[in-house]
Amino acid sequence: MSETALATAAAAPGSPVEFPAGAPSAARTLDKSAAAAPSLIARDRGLLWHPYAPLDGPDPYAVTGASGTRLQLQASDGERFEAVDAMSSWWSAIHGYRHPVLDEAVRRQTEQFSHVMFGGLTHEPAVRLAEQLVELAPDPLEHVFLADSGSVSVEVALKLAVQYQAAVGRPGRQRFLALRGGYHGDTFAAMSVCDPVDGMHAAFPGLVAQQHFLPRPPAARLNNDGELVADASEVTGWIAELEETAARHARELAGIIVEPVLQGAGGMYSYAPECLQALRRVADEHGLLLIFDEIATGFGRTGRLFASEWAGVAPDVMCVGKALTGGYLTLAALLCSGEVAAAITASEFRALLHGPTFMANPLACAVATASLELLDSADWRKQVQHVQQGLSAALAPAADMDSVRDVRGLGAVGVVQLDRPVDIPAITRAALEHGVWVRPFRDLIYTMPPYVSSAEDLAAIGAGITAAVARVHG
Ligand SMILES: *Cc1c(COP(=O)(O)O)cnc(C)c1O
């Protein structure tokens, strides 16, 4: 990190947060839970499935504490690490761990009630959160469906689009147009709109619905003016292909679903905002609902409150999740326009046909409200800008390494792409030995740290990733 970048970063506001007394510090005290970690890992092995991992895969690390931007971890060999969190627990823990305001929001709600069914009942936390979401969301979005995870909100969005088409007299429209390289979740309908090659289609042939796919839109990078720019002729070519594909399949399409501007789990890839404007136009021409999956990108991560703002385009339906509760509890939401809701209300079924047991869980809603208020009061724009500058300086040295193909970033996201698959256990361990928690996939080592990360945290993340790549891949 250059001196000037350090100076800018240090001057950035919003970083110092007072975390609770008794929070784990860098000092290595030996507490009982930490000492017990190796046997904890042994009990886990063969018993618990972890995400996309075999039961007998590499040992996980035991978490013995988490506070602010730090994780206390212990390996199965007993070694303990105090690590700067580079992952925000998969985009979600934007304010860091054990945030006093979020802790208090959960505590206060448990003193009222922790859960009640949402069928026939309502409560302050749900209404308050829905009001906030409508206030924040792009203009035509004015109705809210609370779901219990991102994947479920995508399921509901796809159902909604099919119900909408039937309601407006086009019952044959049940398929979707999606992007290669996209990721929308792990349930069946969500899987069907994930990338058909890198996704899970091959594991469930015949069960995953057939959808139509467009190539990834042309890659875009941030220029010095902070604009996201792509090659204009590539954009023109992509738009022509979009128009042609949409026209060819319009009679069977209910909607278009994309992650706006930044594809996350499908490859950490940012693309030209103009493509969203073209998607809006084409959706309108053919009567398709435009669904933006902002589950990863929402709430400031890309440097805009919602990534759709990069293009100034509003969708008909938007899904949010992940950072919604500041990483405290599982919750997602779908928002839709008044026009879409009116069509459903006038239809045979009248309702959106979904209703999970834990819909609008009050604890989750209460902490989501607190997290959204914190975003505002902590000035997320400055925080994200600070993270963007810090990461861009701290990851720059990686660009010169032999095994590195590309270094890029957008908002509070930084990506180091190798020219080969990452040796995940080796990189994870090497980064931990440099005090950083990362979770790479495929050829990507990426970071989306908490917005409250300090200049030192960001420098440590860059140094840790660079050192780990140097040691493992050269
Ligand atoms: C994580 C993610 C999902 C799925 O959310 P879950 O809460 O894991 O079900 C869907 N879409 C995008 C873009 C995501 O990043």
Side-chain angles (χ1 to χ4, degrees), residues 138-162:
D139 238 353
L141 305 177
E142 50 180 288
H143 305 281
V144 180
F145 186 99
L146 294 168
D148 35 14
S149 74
S151 301
V152 170
S153 76
V154 169
E155 295 286 319
V156 178
L158 301 179
K159 275 188 180 177
L160 171 68
V162 170

PDB file of all heavy atoms in Angstrom, residues 138-162:
ATOM      1  N   PRO A 138     -35.361   1.117  -5.634  1.00  0.00           N
ATOM      2  CA  PRO A 138     -35.729   1.921  -6.810  1.00  0.00           C
ATOM      3  C   PRO A 138     -37.248   2.112  -6.905  1.00  0.00           C
ATOM      4  O   PRO A 138     -38.021   1.268  -6.426  1.00  0.00           O
ATOM      5  CB  PRO A 138     -35.219   1.076  -7.978  1.00  0.00           C
ATOM      6  CG  PRO A 138     -34.174   0.184  -7.408  1.00  0.00           C
ATOM      7  CD  PRO A 138     -34.535  -0.044  -5.978  1.00  0.00           C
ATOM      8  N   ASP A 139     -37.635   3.178  -7.542  1.00  0.00           N
ATOM      9  CA  ASP A 139     -38.989   3.713  -7.451  1.00  0.00           C
ATOM     10  C   ASP A 139     -40.202   2.809  -7.629  1.00  0.00           C
ATOM     11  O   ASP A 139     -41.093   2.846  -6.795  1.00  0.00           O
ATOM     12  CB  ASP A 139     -39.113   4.915  -8.374  1.00  0.00           C
ATOM     13  CG  ASP A 139     -39.540   6.137  -7.575  1.00  0.00           C
ATOM     14  OD1 ASP A 139     -39.844   5.932  -6.382  1.00  0.00           O
ATOM     15  OD2 ASP A 139     -39.558   7.245  -8.130  1.00  0.00           O
ATOM     16  N   PRO A 140     -40.265   2.025  -8.703  1.00  0.00           N
ATOM     17  CA  PRO A 140     -41.565   1.332  -8.842  1.00  0.00           C
ATOM     18  C   PRO A 140     -41.762   0.191  -7.850  1.00  0.00           C
ATOM     19  O   PRO A 140     -42.840  -0.390  -7.789  1.00  0.00           O
ATOM     20  CB  PRO A 140     -41.515   0.788 -10.277  1.00  0.00           C
ATOM     21  CG  PRO A 140     -40.073   0.625 -10.562  1.00  0.00           C
ATOM     22  CD  PRO A 140     -39.334   1.666  -9.763  1.00  0.00           C
ATOM     23  N   LEU A 141     -40.734  -0.126  -7.058  1.00  0.00           N
ATOM     24  CA  LEU A 141     -40.847  -1.286  -6.163  1.00  0.00           C
ATOM     25  C   LEU A 141     -41.537  -0.872  -4.877  1.00  0.00           C
ATOM     26  O   LEU A 141     -41.004  -0.075  -4.107  1.00  0.00           O
ATOM     27  CB  LEU A 141     -39.458  -1.870  -5.882  1.00  0.00           C
ATOM     28  CG  LEU A 141     -38.663  -2.242  -7.140  1.00  0.00           C
ATOM     29  CD1 LEU A 141     -37.268  -2.736  -6.778  1.00  0.00           C
ATOM     30  CD2 LEU A 141     -39.395  -3.285  -7.968  1.00  0.00           C
ATOM     31  N   GLU A 142     -42.733  -1.411  -4.652  1.00  0.00           N
ATOM     32  CA  GLU A 142     -43.491  -0.933  -3.501  1.00  0.00           C
ATOM     33  C   GLU A 142     -44.185  -2.014  -2.697  1.00  0.00           C
ATOM     34  O   GLU A 142     -44.903  -1.717  -1.745  1.00  0.00           O
ATOM     35  CB  GLU A 142     -44.506   0.121  -3.949  1.00  0.00           C
ATOM     36  CG  GLU A 142     -45.363  -0.309  -5.124  1.00  0.00           C
ATOM     37  CD  GLU A 142     -46.361   0.774  -5.517  1.00  0.00           C
ATOM     38  OE1 GLU A 142     -47.325   0.972  -4.763  1.00  0.00           O
ATOM     39  OE2 GLU A 142     -46.163   1.416  -6.575  1.00  0.00           O
ATOM     40  N   HIS A 143     -43.973  -3.301  -3.058  1.00  0.00           N
ATOM     41  CA  HIS A 143     -44.547  -4.393  -2.267  1.00  0.00           C
ATOM     42  C   HIS A 143     -43.431  -5.350  -1.884  1.00  0.00           C
ATOM     43  O   HIS A 143     -42.502  -5.549  -2.655  1.00  0.00           O
ATOM     44  CB  HIS A 143     -45.619  -5.125  -3.062  1.00  0.00           C
ATOM     45  CG  HIS A 143     -46.693  -4.201  -3.566  1.00  0.00           C
ATOM     46  ND1 HIS A 143     -47.714  -3.746  -2.764  1.00  0.00           N
ATOM     47  CD2 HIS A 143     -46.854  -3.620  -4.777  1.00  0.00           C
ATOM     48  CE1 HIS A 143     -48.485  -2.935  -3.483  1.00  0.00           C
ATOM     49  NE2 HIS A 143     -47.979  -2.826  -4.698  1.00  0.00           N
ATOM     50  N   VAL A 144     -43.561  -5.946  -0.694  1.00  0.00           N
ATOM     51  CA  VAL A 144     -42.454  -6.725  -0.138  1.00  0.00           C
ATOM     52  C   VAL A 144     -42.926  -8.118   0.255  1.00  0.00           C
ATOM     53  O   VAL A 144     -43.976  -8.263   0.895  1.00  0.00           O
ATOM     54  CB  VAL A 144     -41.888  -6.018   1.117  1.00  0.00           C
ATOM     55  CG1 VAL A 144     -40.729  -6.814   1.710  1.00  0.00           C
ATOM     56  CG2 VAL A 144     -41.462  -4.590   0.791  1.00  0.00           C
ATOM     57  N   PHE A 145     -42.166  -9.118  -0.135  1.00  0.00           N
ATOM     58  CA  PHE A 145     -42.383 -10.492   0.327  1.00  0.00           C
ATOM     59  C   PHE A 145     -41.135 -10.902   1.090  1.00  0.00           C
ATOM     60  O   PHE A 145     -40.028 -10.855   0.549  1.00  0.00           O
ATOM     61  CB  PHE A 145     -42.604 -11.437  -0.865  1.00  0.00           C
ATOM     62  CG  PHE A 145     -42.968 -12.844  -0.473  1.00  0.00           C
ATOM     63  CD1 PHE A 145     -44.289 -13.271  -0.492  1.00  0.00           C
ATOM     64  CD2 PHE A 145     -41.983 -13.738  -0.070  1.00  0.00           C
ATOM     65  CE1 PHE A 145     -44.627 -14.572  -0.117  1.00  0.00           C
ATOM     66  CE2 PHE A 145     -42.319 -15.042   0.312  1.00  0.00           C
ATOM     67  CZ  PHE A 145     -43.639 -15.457   0.288  1.00  0.00           C
ATOM     68  N   LEU A 146     -41.286 -11.287   2.352  1.00  0.00           N
ATOM     69  CA  LEU A 146     -40.126 -11.665   3.161  1.00  0.00           C
ATOM     70  C   LEU A 146     -39.913 -13.172   3.078  1.00  0.00           C
ATOM     71  O   LEU A 146     -40.824 -13.956   3.367  1.00  0.00           O
ATOM     72  CB  LEU A 146     -40.324 -11.214   4.607  1.00  0.00           C
ATOM     73  CG  LEU A 146     -40.364  -9.687   4.777  1.00  0.00           C
ATOM     74  CD1 LEU A 146     -40.852  -9.307   6.169  1.00  0.00           C
ATOM     75  CD2 LEU A 146     -38.997  -9.063   4.491  1.00  0.00           C
ATOM     76  N   ALA A 147     -38.728 -13.557   2.669  1.00  0.00           N
ATOM     77  CA  ALA A 147     -38.401 -14.975   2.504  1.00  0.00           C
ATOM     78  C   ALA A 147     -37.293 -15.342   3.481  1.00  0.00           C
ATOM     79  O   ALA A 147     -36.651 -14.469   4.054  1.00  0.00           O
ATOM     80  CB  ALA A 147     -37.958 -15.243   1.072  1.00  0.00           C
ATOM     81  N   ASP A 148     -37.078 -16.636   3.647  1.00  0.00           N
ATOM     82  CA  ASP A 148     -36.115 -17.023   4.683  1.00  0.00           C
ATOM     83  C   ASP A 148     -34.701 -17.253   4.183  1.00  0.00           C
ATOM     84  O   ASP A 148     -33.804 -17.498   4.985  1.00  0.00           O
ATOM     85  CB  ASP A 148     -36.620 -18.211   5.518  1.00  0.00           C
ATOM     86  CG  ASP A 148     -37.435 -19.198   4.698  1.00  0.00           C
ATOM     87  OD1 ASP A 148     -37.391 -19.123   3.458  1.00  0.00           O
ATOM     88  OD2 ASP A 148     -38.106 -20.036   5.305  1.00  0.00           O
ATOM     89  N   SER A 149     -34.470 -17.163   2.876  1.00  0.00           N
ATOM     90  CA  SER A 149     -33.086 -17.189   2.380  1.00  0.00           C
ATOM     91  C   SER A 149     -33.081 -16.600   0.980  1.00  0.00           C
ATOM     92  O   SER A 149     -34.137 -16.436   0.358  1.00  0.00           O
ATOM     93  CB  SER A 149     -32.530 -18.620   2.330  1.00  0.00           C
ATOM     94  OG  SER A 149     -33.092 -19.324   1.242  1.00  0.00           O
ATOM     95  N   GLY A 150     -31.903 -16.321   0.485  1.00  0.00           N
ATOM     96  CA  GLY A 150     -31.794 -15.759  -0.855  1.00  0.00           C
ATOM     97  C   GLY A 150     -32.380 -16.688  -1.912  1.00  0.00           C
ATOM     98  O   GLY A 150     -33.139 -16.254  -2.786  1.00  0.00           O
ATOM     99  N   SER A 151     -32.029 -17.971  -1.832  1.00  0.00           N
ATOM    100  CA  SER A 151     -32.534 -18.925  -2.822  1.00  0.00           C
ATOM    101  C   SER A 151     -34.058 -18.941  -2.826  1.00  0.00           C
ATOM    102  O   SER A 151     -34.680 -18.995  -3.894  1.00  0.00           O
ATOM    103  CB  SER A 151     -32.025 -20.337  -2.508  1.00  0.00           C
ATOM    104  OG  SER A 151     -30.625 -20.371  -2.499  1.00  0.00           O
ATOM    105  N   VAL A 152     -34.641 -18.912  -1.645  1.00  0.00           N
ATOM    106  CA  VAL A 152     -36.106 -18.929  -1.570  1.00  0.00           C
ATOM    107  C   VAL A 152     -36.679 -17.663  -2.197  1.00  0.00           C
ATOM    108  O   VAL A 152     -37.682 -17.716  -2.921  1.00  0.00           O
ATOM    109  CB  VAL A 152     -36.584 -19.122  -0.111  1.00  0.00           C
ATOM    110  CG1 VAL A 152     -38.089 -18.892   0.001  1.00  0.00           C
ATOM    111  CG2 VAL A 152     -36.220 -20.505   0.389  1.00  0.00           C
ATOM    112  N   SER A 153     -36.030 -16.523  -1.986  1.00  0.00           N
ATOM    113  CA  SER A 153     -36.552 -15.298  -2.606  1.00  0.00           C
ATOM    114  C   SER A 153     -36.478 -15.386  -4.133  1.00  0.00           C
ATOM    115  O   SER A 153     -37.347 -14.855  -4.828  1.00  0.00           O
ATOM    116  CB  SER A 153     -35.811 -14.053  -2.080  1.00  0.00           C
ATOM    117  OG  SER A 153     -34.529 -13.936  -2.652  1.00  0.00           O
ATOM    118  N   VAL A 154     -35.459 -16.073  -4.649  1.00  0.00           N
ATOM    119  CA  VAL A 154     -35.372 -16.264  -6.105  1.00  0.00           C
ATOM    120  C   VAL A 154     -36.486 -17.197  -6.583  1.00  0.00           C
ATOM    121  O   VAL A 154     -37.141 -16.937  -7.597  1.00  0.00           O
ATOM    122  CB  VAL A 154     -33.972 -16.789  -6.517  1.00  0.00           C
ATOM    123  CG1 VAL A 154     -33.956 -17.240  -7.971  1.00  0.00           C
ATOM    124  CG2 VAL A 154     -32.915 -15.714  -6.280  1.00  0.00           C
ATOM    125  N   GLU A 155     -36.723 -18.276  -5.832  1.00  0.00           N
ATOM    126  CA  GLU A 155     -37.853 -19.163  -6.170  1.00  0.00           C
ATOM    127  C   GLU A 155     -39.138 -18.347  -6.261  1.00  0.00           C
ATOM    128  O   GLU A 155     -39.938 -18.502  -7.185  1.00  0.00           O
ATOM    129  CB  GLU A 155     -38.066 -20.243  -5.087  1.00  0.00           C
ATOM    130  CG  GLU A 155     -36.949 -21.238  -4.926  1.00  0.00           C
ATOM    131  CD  GLU A 155     -36.870 -22.264  -6.046  1.00  0.00           C
ATOM    132  OE1 GLU A 155     -37.915 -22.759  -6.496  1.00  0.00           O
ATOM    133  OE2 GLU A 155     -35.738 -22.547  -6.467  1.00  0.00           O
ATOM    134  N   VAL A 156     -39.344 -17.504  -5.275  1.00  0.00           N
ATOM    135  CA  VAL A 156     -40.586 -16.724  -5.217  1.00  0.00           C
ATOM    136  C   VAL A 156     -40.633 -15.735  -6.387  1.00  0.00           C
ATOM    137  O   VAL A 156     -41.685 -15.544  -7.003  1.00  0.00           O
ATOM    138  CB  VAL A 156     -40.728 -16.015  -3.857  1.00  0.00           C
ATOM    139  CG1 VAL A 156     -42.004 -15.172  -3.816  1.00  0.00           C
ATOM    140  CG2 VAL A 156     -40.745 -17.023  -2.713  1.00  0.00           C
ATOM    141  N   ALA A 157     -39.494 -15.151  -6.735  1.00  0.00           N
ATOM    142  CA  ALA A 157     -39.454 -14.206  -7.859  1.00  0.00           C
ATOM    143  C   ALA A 157     -39.838 -14.912  -9.164  1.00  0.00           C
ATOM    144  O   ALA A 157     -40.582 -14.366  -9.985  1.00  0.00           O
ATOM    145  CB  ALA A 157     -38.064 -13.590  -7.981  1.00  0.00           C
ATOM    146  N   LEU A 158     -39.339 -16.146  -9.348  1.00  0.00           N
ATOM    147  CA  LEU A 158     -39.643 -16.880 -10.581  1.00  0.00           C
ATOM    148  C   LEU A 158     -41.122 -17.281 -10.600  1.00  0.00           C
ATOM    149  O   LEU A 158     -41.801 -17.152 -11.625  1.00  0.00           O
ATOM    150  CB  LEU A 158     -38.715 -18.098 -10.714  1.00  0.00           C
ATOM    151  CG  LEU A 158     -37.204 -17.776 -10.754  1.00  0.00           C
ATOM    152  CD1 LEU A 158     -36.373 -19.049 -10.866  1.00  0.00           C
ATOM    153  CD2 LEU A 158     -36.835 -16.814 -11.886  1.00  0.00           C
ATOM    154  N   LYS A 159     -41.625 -17.736  -9.445  1.00  0.00           N
ATOM    155  CA  LYS A 159     -43.065 -18.043  -9.344  1.00  0.00           C
ATOM    156  C   LYS A 159     -43.900 -16.813  -9.668  1.00  0.00           C
ATOM    157  O   LYS A 159     -44.892 -16.888 -10.396  1.00  0.00           O
ATOM    158  CB  LYS A 159     -43.415 -18.441  -7.905  1.00  0.00           C
ATOM    159  CG  LYS A 159     -43.211 -19.883  -7.541  1.00  0.00           C
ATOM    160  CD  LYS A 159     -43.814 -20.086  -6.130  1.00  0.00           C
ATOM    161  CE  LYS A 159     -43.666 -21.508  -5.664  1.00  0.00           C
ATOM    162  NZ  LYS A 159     -44.187 -21.677  -4.300  1.00  0.00           N
ATOM    163  N   LEU A 160     -43.482 -15.700  -9.104  1.00  0.00           N
ATOM    164  CA  LEU A 160     -44.214 -14.448  -9.295  1.00  0.00           C
ATOM    165  C   LEU A 160     -44.298 -14.103 -10.789  1.00  0.00           C
ATOM    166  O   LEU A 160     -45.366 -13.720 -11.283  1.00  0.00           O
ATOM    167  CB  LEU A 160     -43.516 -13.322  -8.531  1.00  0.00           C
ATOM    168  CG  LEU A 160     -43.999 -11.894  -8.765  1.00  0.00           C
ATOM    169  CD1 LEU A 160     -45.395 -11.707  -8.211  1.00  0.00           C
ATOM    170  CD2 LEU A 160     -43.053 -10.894  -8.111  1.00  0.00           C
ATOM    171  N   ALA A 161     -43.179 -14.274 -11.492  1.00  0.00           N
ATOM    172  CA  ALA A 161     -43.166 -13.931 -12.921  1.00  0.00           C
ATOM    173  C   ALA A 161     -44.114 -14.840 -13.699  1.00  0.00           C
ATOM    174  O   ALA A 161     -44.845 -14.379 -14.588  1.00  0.00           O
ATOM    175  CB  ALA A 161     -41.746 -14.033 -13.475  1.00  0.00           C
ATOM    176  N   VAL A 162     -44.110 -16.121 -13.357  1.00  0.00           N
ATOM    177  CA  VAL A 162     -45.000 -17.059 -14.054  1.00  0.00           C
ATOM    178  C   VAL A 162     -46.461 -16.735 -13.715  1.00  0.00           C
ATOM    179  O   VAL A 162     -47.326 -16.702 -14.595  1.00  0.00           O
ATOM    180  CB  VAL A 162     -44.630 -18.514 -13.689  1.00  0.00           C
ATOM    181  CG1 VAL A 162     -45.687 -19.492 -14.202  1.00  0.00           C
ATOM    182  CG2 VAL A 162     -43.249 -18.856 -14.249  1.00  0.00           C
TER     183      VAL A 162
END
